[in-house]
Amino acid sequence: MQGKVVKIFSDFYYVKTNWGLVECKLREILKKSGVQIIVGDNVIIEDFREISNQAAITELLPRKNSILRPSVANIDEIVLVVSLKHPRTPLNSIDRYLAQAQFFGIDVIICVNKSDLTSLQERIEFEKFYGALGYKIVFTSAIKKTGIGELKNIIKEKTSLLCGASGVGKTSLCNAINPNFVLRVGKISKNSRGTHTTRHCEILSFDSNSVSFNLVDTPGFSLLKFDYVEPKKIEEFFPEIKMFAKECKFTNCLHECEVGCNVIANIEKIFPSRYESYLSILQEAKNYKKKIKEQGTKVETKTKKLNSKAVPKISAKKRNYSRKKAKQILNVNIKEDF
């Protein structure tokens, strides 16, 4: 039976199938092979027990796409939820989410929630700032129910990932879009910081005669890190920097202080906060490059080919123990012979 993982809690995987929601465990061979199942994955399940409504996941089907944080697969778009007040989402945090979407090649929409707390001028300035970079922006208020209709049109017939920092109102938006969800929301702390109310990723489905969609509600993250990317790739996540980088004198230019850097020559045309975000992410990428230079990139696989079939390897610890034990037995036999 085929299904989609809609929630993971502890060691249990909740798979949506044509028969309904099935509670599953991961088959041991998949665990030993190091297969990582994440929310949004399409899987094959077997050994379904109707009485207990349980089964086992035996196979992971190919993914259309996936992102690292939060770990979600097979999505159509990312809805980045931010707030300009109570709490104010730092521009550096927004830039990192946008860069991650760019890295994984997934369309992103910026949803400015709690817009009822902001002035018209603040909304105009924000739209001028990120709208000029080509990002689509929608203003909503989960409390006042404004902008919800526009957001529904954007996510219609799609699987959309809601992501953003804690406290921006992702879960409240889910409830506003479909009151039947009735998800628990938290309060903003006294220092205007969000609290982690959502603890895990979960796909929420809505289907009616007029509209259907899937929303992935996720925990909030304060800061995304880019400790897995080569430094030269960072410019591709910033459209305005990438545009000027084409005219740099050297192809390996990182746009810091190099001679003949066209980005530095046009630095006044780039928003200062965007360039600061670029430099911050670039430093993490440089640290990553230094790390792989010192440690290498070789990764020990957890499977091996046996008769054209992938089978799990014995762990290094067990393998060493087995060899040690074999030598001991050999030594004992040699002594007995003498």
Side-chain angles (χ1 to χ4, degrees), residues 69 80-84 88-101 110 126 129-130 133 135 163-165 221-226 234 237-238 240-241 271-284:
R69 197 177 186 200
L80 172 58
V81 185
V82 304
S83 55
L84 303 183
R88 180 178 178 81
T89 307
L91 295 180
N92 178 42
S93 177
I94 296 174
D95 292 337
R96 284 172 177 268
Y97 276 105
L98 294 175
Q100 179 181 242
I110 303 176
F126 185 89
F129 189 89
Y130 284 104
L133 300 174
Y135 294 108
C163 65
F221 297 107
S222 57
L223 190 66
L224 289 172
K225 289 193 174 183
F226 284 79
I234 304 301
F237 311 154
F238 293 81
E240 67 275 42
I241 292 177
F271 290 112
S273 65
R274 291 281 291 173
Y275 185 64
E276 288 173 11
S277 295
Y278 167 79
L279 292 178
S280 176
I281 296 174
L282 178 65
Q283 186 57 52
E284 291 174 9

Side-chain angles (χ1 to χ4, degrees), residues 176-189:
I177 291 170
N178 182 13
N180 293 328
F181 288 151
V182 195
L183 302 172
R184 188 171 67 91
V185 297
K187 295 180 179 180
I188 302 300
S189 62

Side-chain angles (χ1 to χ4, degrees), residues 247-265:
E247 303 298 325
C248 286
K249 184 176 182 180
F250 302 105
T251 56
N252 63 346
C253 181
L254 294 180
H255 324 302
E256 293 179 291
C257 55
E258 296 89 342
V259 175
C261 176
N262 191 50
V263 173
I264 299 299

Side-chain angles (χ1 to χ4, degrees), residues 73-234:
N74 301 315
I75 56 176
D76 297 314
E77 65 185 5
I78 294 173
V79 178
L80 172 58
V81 185
V82 304
S83 55
L84 303 183
K85 282 185 178 179
H86 197 59
R88 180 178 178 81
T89 307
L91 295 180
N92 178 42
S93 177
I94 296 174
D95 292 337
R96 284 172 177 268
Y97 276 105
L98 294 175
Q100 179 181 242
Q102 200 85 22
F103 175 75
F104 290 105
I106 302 173
D107 292 337
V108 60
I109 293 93
I110 303 176
C111 174
V112 183
N113 195 31
K114 304 184 181 182
S115 59
D116 56 304
L117 303 178
T118 61
S119 66
L120 177 61
Q121 185 60 34
E122 287 173 316
R123 296 196 292 273
I124 291 174
E125 288 178 2
F126 185 89
E127 191 164 23
K128 181 181 178 181
F129 189 89
Y130 284 104
L133 300 174
Y135 294 108
K136 182 175 178 58
I137 301 167
V138 56
F139 293 92
T140 62
S141 171
I143 303 298
K144 302 290 185 180
K145 303 295 188 295
T146 56
I148 302 301
E150 184 181 355
L151 183 58
K152 277 186 177 181
N153 288 331
I154 292 173
I155 64 176
K156 185 170 59 177
E157 308 299 334
K158 297 176 183 176
T159 297
S160 305
L161 171 69
L162 292 183
C163 65
S166 298
V168 295
K170 299 184 295 295
T171 305
S172 296
L173 272 177
C174 290
N175 289 335
I177 291 170
N178 182 13
N180 293 328
F181 288 151
V182 195
L183 302 172
R184 188 171 67 91
V185 297
K187 295 180 179 180
I188 302 300
S189 62
K190 292 181 180 179
N191 58 0
S192 294
R193 295 184 64 180
T195 55
H196 293 280
T197 305
T198 303
R199 302 290 181 179
H200 56 266
C201 296
E202 181 175 0
I203 298 180
L204 308 169
S205 298
F206 179 79
D207 195 359
S208 71
N209 295 330
S210 58
V211 64
S212 64
F213 55 81
N214 293 316
L215 283 178
V216 189
D217 192 18
T218 65
F221 297 107
S222 57
L223 190 66
L224 289 172
K225 289 193 174 183
F226 284 79
D227 49 0
Y228 53 87
V229 187
E230 288 283 344
K232 186 56 184 170
K233 282 200 170 284
I234 304 301

